[in-house]
Amino acid sequence: VFERKVAFREQELHSPNAARSHDVVLFGIGRYGKALAHYLHARGLRTLAVDFDPTEVNAWASLGHDAIYGDATDPEFIGTLPLQDVRWVVCTL
């Protein structure tokens, strides 16, 4: 009765392509992170943006980019990220 269908709230808010392979996982899509994400995208790198602000996640995803809601300080959340093909993990927090 008390168990949730979705174990982590971070899994509730993400883009449909968040599970595909990426070259870069970028933590933080505020001012600096967003500029860096645009730079990486322009160079053809598949980037998955991670942010704790649902507004930023929705705004980034609405532009057609991959984004997922999550807390970079949560070790359990980090374990749910698709890191098998990632070349770089960048933190802009």
Side-chain angles (χ1 to χ4, degrees):
V1 173
F2 297 106
E3 191 170 322
R4 294 190 230 169
K5 291 181 182 179
V6 178
F8 300 103
R9 67 179 175 201
E10 290 86 358
Q11 293 174 343
E12 294 175 355
L13 183 60
H14 65 280
S15 73
N17 295 325
R20 70 180 183 166
S21 66
H22 295 91
D23 298 312
V24 180
V25 173
L26 176 67
F27 286 95
I29 48 174
R31 287 182 301 208
Y32 179 69
K34 199 174 297 176
L36 182 58
H38 282 295
Y39 177 85
L40 295 170
H41 183 71
R43 267 104 193 126
L45 294 170
R46 295 168 307 201
T47 304
L48 173 63
V50 179
D51 203 288
F52 192 68
D53 182 353
T55 306
E56 292 292 345
V57 171
N58 286 332
W60 190 245
S62 71
L63 295 174
H65 303 295
D66 295 340
I68 188 169
Y69 172 80
D71 185 357
T73 64
D74 182 357
E76 291 182 21
F77 168 70
I78 301 298
T80 67
L81 291 174
L83 299 175
Q84 57 274 15
D85 296 323
V86 171
R87 293 172 34 194
W88 300 316
V89 175
V90 180
C91 182
T92 65
L93 304 177

